[in-house]
Every structure is written in C-alpha cells, then in structure tokens.
Amino acid sequence: MKKALIFSLLAIGQILFAQELALVKEKSTIGYIDRSGKYIIYPTFDAAKSFSDGLAAVKIKQLWGFIGKDGKMVIEPSFTNIREFHDGICIVEKDGAWMYINKKGEKLTMPSSEKLYDFNEGLAFFKINNKIGAFNTAGKVVIREEYDVIKPFQNGFAKASKNSKWGIINTKGEIIVPFEYDDVGEYSNGITWAQKDKSFGIIDGKDFKVLDGVDKIWDFDNQTITYAKKNGKIGFVDKTGTWIIEPQFEKARSFSQNLAPVCLKNKWGYIDPTGNFVIEPQYSDAEVFSSDNLAPVRGKGWGFIDKTGKIVIPMGYEISASFGFGEKNKGFNQGVSRVKKGGKWGFIDTSGNLLGDKWFFNAELFQN
C-alpha cells in the first residue's frame, strides 16, 4: 500500500512537471492556467515570468524567487534580477553581482566571462577579450574562446563567425561547415545554404553548389525543400539546388503539411509540392499550417482555415508569435492558439472556443 502511494505521487509529480502552463494577467495580478483554461496557480503575484525548465520566477516585496508548478516556493525570494532556467541553471543578480545558480538556489562556480549567457542545449557561451567560447553545465570548457560570434545552438549545431567568415560547429566544437563563407543558414539534416562573395548556394554535406542568379535562400527548417529568390521572384529548390517550383511568386513561406503559403499579385494562397494552387490566392496575408492542420489567414483580421480552404474559425483576431524555440509557425500548437480581440488576450481551441470562457489583460505562450 505504501509503495503504491509512493508510485502514485511520483506519477502525479511527473505529469505536473511535464504539463505546460501559460502565464495570464487579470487586472493587476498574475497566475497560470493549463491548456483546458483551468487555473493551476491562481492570480496572486504582482510580477512573474513564464515557466522555463519547470520553474517560474515570481517577485515578492521587490525580490525574485522561483515557484514550481504546484505554486509552492522552490527558491526563496532573494534576487534583485533574474533570467530563466535552462538545463537546470539560471542567471540571477544578488548584491549587485550576476551569477549562475542551480535549482536549489546554490551559487555555481563557472568559467569567468565578460558577460553571462543563458544555457542552450547544455552549453553556455563565455566571452574573453571579445572572443566567444562555450562551457557545459559542469563548468568545463568545451569550445575554446576563438570565435567572434556563435549563434544559439539548434538541434546540436550553431552558426559561428571567425576572422569575418562564417561556418557551422556542433556542441563538441567540431567544425561541420568550414569557415570560408560570407554568410550561412541554420544547419539541419546535413543541409544549409551559404553565401560566398556574391554567390548563393546550398551545402549538402561538404559540397557547395552555387545557384545561378539567386540572391537569397531561406532556411530548410528540417525539410529537403526550401524557397529562394531569383530575379525578384521566389520559387522552391531541393537540397541539390534543383528548382522544384520555378521562381514566380512575390513572397512565400515554407512547406508544412505539404502546403506552402505564396503571394501572387498581392494575394496569398497555398500551393502543393508540384506548384499547383490548392487554395487560390485571396488573402492579404497567410501563415503555414500547423500540425493541427489549421493555418492563420488574414482578411478583416485573422482567422483559420483547414487544408481545403474552408474557414473553420472566422476572421477577427490578432494572432500571437510562435509557441516555442525552433517553432516557426504562428497560430495553433497542440490544439491551442493565443489570440487577441478587443484589446485582450485569450486562447482558443481548434473549434474556435475560448478556453475557460475568459479573456485576460495579458497572456503569454504555454511553456514548460
């Protein structure tokens, strides 16, 4: 019986930790709701931040501390300024000094740096004499300080600059794309775009293939097709640099759910991977389809259509930014979209129902 109770409590704790919550503000106080619109932590805080890495910063009498998803204080308020937890570590300010702490609130000893950086994919950057390197959560230097710039890691890879040239490194500091380009894109599935002098092309593995006449290429975003601009028009190319859809559009966004928003004669519609219109150009703006198979489109305000072009949620909203790091889509994520109407924020489900039947003075995105 005792063991069963312990396992039940552990299971509840794991579910609670994995649950994403959204910060909402009612008049002057802040609380947190779940994806059903139910309050998990009632509005009691005058100042607070969204959850990150299972903890949220709250301000009590001019000092910041951290609560867990049960609303209980995990790290007592003692900081004058704070950032967010990542990889179990957070940057805070106390007694005029910035430092790293763990989830017990203990100060950590890390390599010295001219500036403190948040952890990202298990690494934090450090700067010495204006050169950037990186160390891990144990404080061990993994990447020596020899770069002018390192962008945040995504899926284990980062753009970096050295001696005015750009390349790609991984989290071990290994060079994946050599530093010989004037610009590079995000690296995914062994593919990225790059610029060398005035030429733009695609890197697949180690080979750089120039795309004649192209003056811009967008990121692949974990796909094998992306869009590129030539002679002022946009089309789609594959990872070999072959035009799959010839340049003909004024604007475009990436494929998602086998449809891509494109703009023709100042109107947006959606094409399939063969370049044929599935949803004719008719909107003043359009975003990509989410995994919920809905896409935001704008007419008199924003609404949402399905993959046949049927309006599922009528227009009249403002829409939020993307839901999380690395996610480019606006609108729906896991069945919920943050929207604004009449100056207030709320969340709707895929049928257009308002979560909790309530609007808020402010609502942040759902985060863990």
Side-chain angles (χ1 to χ4, degrees):
M1 182 69 180
K2 189 175 181 180
K3 285 184 178 180
L5 178 61
I6 291 171
F7 282 127
S8 296
L9 290 172
L10 285 172
I12 291 169
Q14 288 172 348
I15 292 170
L16 187 62
F17 182 81
Q19 184 180 41
E20 290 189 333
L21 301 180
L23 178 153
V24 294
K25 185 175 184 179
E26 291 208 40
K27 294 184 178 178
S28 60
T29 55
I30 294 170
Y32 300 85
I33 62 171
D34 63 15
R35 286 180 177 270
S36 72
K38 175 185 175 183
Y39 270 113
I40 301 301
I41 302 171
Y42 283 91
T44 55
F45 304 105
D46 296 326
K49 295 181 180 292
S50 294
F51 273 89
S52 177
D53 209 2
L55 298 179
V58 296
K59 196 174 188 181
I60 309 290
K61 294 181 180 179
Q62 306 306 312
L63 292 176
W64 290 90
F66 293 85
I67 59 170
K69 291 186 179 178
D70 56 2
K72 294 179 181 179
M73 197 67 67
V74 176
I75 301 174
E76 292 296 323
S78 60
F79 308 109
T80 51
N81 212 336
I82 46 84
R83 295 194 196 164
E84 294 181 338
F85 269 94
H86 298 280
D87 297 311
I89 296 174
C90 183
I91 298 172
V92 298
E93 183 185 25
K94 186 174 183 178
D95 299 329
W98 286 91
M99 67 192 79
Y100 290 99
I101 62 168
N102 61 20
K103 286 190 173 182
K104 294 180 180 180
E106 299 167 335
K107 180 181 177 181
L108 301 175
T109 300
M110 295 294 183
S112 61
S113 176
E114 296 165 5
K115 175 183 176 181
L116 298 191
Y117 295 82
D118 290 323
F119 274 85
N120 159 236
E121 297 199 8
L123 296 179
F125 301 136
F126 67 99
K127 180 188 284 189
I128 296 178
N129 295 326
N130 284 323
K131 295 295 182 180
I132 306 293
F135 56 88
N136 62 21
T137 55
K140 179 183 177 182
V141 173
V142 178
I143 301 172
R144 292 178 55 197
E145 65 278 16
E146 56 184 314
Y147 298 100
D148 301 316
V149 178
I150 306 177
K151 297 292 186 179
F153 283 92
Q154 293 192 37
N155 299 315
F157 302 97
K159 299 169 53 174
S161 173
K162 187 176 182 180
N163 299 324
S164 299
K165 294 295 182 181
W166 288 86
I168 302 288
I169 60 173
N170 63 17
T171 51
K172 295 179 181 179
E174 298 168 335
I175 296 174
I176 306 302
V177 173
F179 287 79
E180 55 187 54
Y181 300 98
D182 296 298
D183 199 3
V184 293
E186 298 295 344
Y187 191 80
S188 63
N189 297 322
I191 313 167
T192 188
W193 61 265
Q195 178 188 0
K196 182 179 283 190
D197 298 324
K198 294 184 179 181
S199 297
F200 285 78
I202 292 172
I203 298 173
D204 183 7
K206 294 183 178 180
D207 297 325
F208 177 58
K209 181 174 181 179
V210 174
L211 275 62
D212 292 333
V214 168
D215 57 16
K216 186 171 184 179
I217 306 173
W218 281 262
D219 290 331
F220 278 87
D221 292 333
N222 292 315
Q223 300 186 67
T224 57
I225 298 174
T226 190
Y227 49 114
K229 185 168 68 172
K230 180 179 181 179
N231 297 327
K233 296 294 183 181
I234 295 174
F236 290 80
V237 295
D238 66 14
K239 66 177 187 176
T240 70
T242 302
W243 288 100
I244 302 301
I245 301 170
E246 290 295 325
Q248 57 192 286
F249 306 109
E250 296 152 14
K251 297 177 183 178
R253 295 190 170 100
S254 61
F255 272 94
S256 178
Q257 310 300 313
N258 286 320
L259 293 174
V262 295
C263 183
L264 197 60
K265 297 181 179 179
N266 294 318
K267 293 293 182 182
W268 286 83
Y270 291 82
I271 58 171
D272 63 20
T274 68
N276 293 317
F277 273 103
V278 175
I279 301 170
E280 293 296 323
Q282 57 192 289
Y283 307 108
S284 59
D285 203 351
E287 292 288 342
V288 301
F289 276 88
S290 71
S291 58
D292 296 285
N293 291 317
L294 294 178
V297 293
R298 188 168 69 181
K300 294 181 178 179
W302 288 90
F304 296 84
I305 59 171
D306 64 19
K307 292 172 71 175
T308 69
K310 176 184 175 183
I311 295 179
V312 176
I313 299 173
M315 297 174 185
Y317 297 105
E318 294 177 46
I319 60 173
S320 73
S322 62
F323 266 76
F325 185 77
E327 292 191 28
K328 303 298 176 85
N329 63 295
K330 296 182 180 180
F332 277 92
N333 181 274
Q334 297 181 31
V336 175
S337 178
R338 184 179 75 156
V339 295
K340 189 177 184 181
K341 191 173 185 178
K344 291 188 176 182
W345 289 96
F347 299 91
I348 56 174
D349 64 20
T350 53
S351 296
N353 300 313
L354 183 65
L355 264 62
D357 197 28
K358 194 161 191 174
W359 294 97
F360 303 97
F361 283 85
N362 186 35
E364 299 293 339
L365 302 174
F366 280 93
Q367 295 190 59
N368 187 15

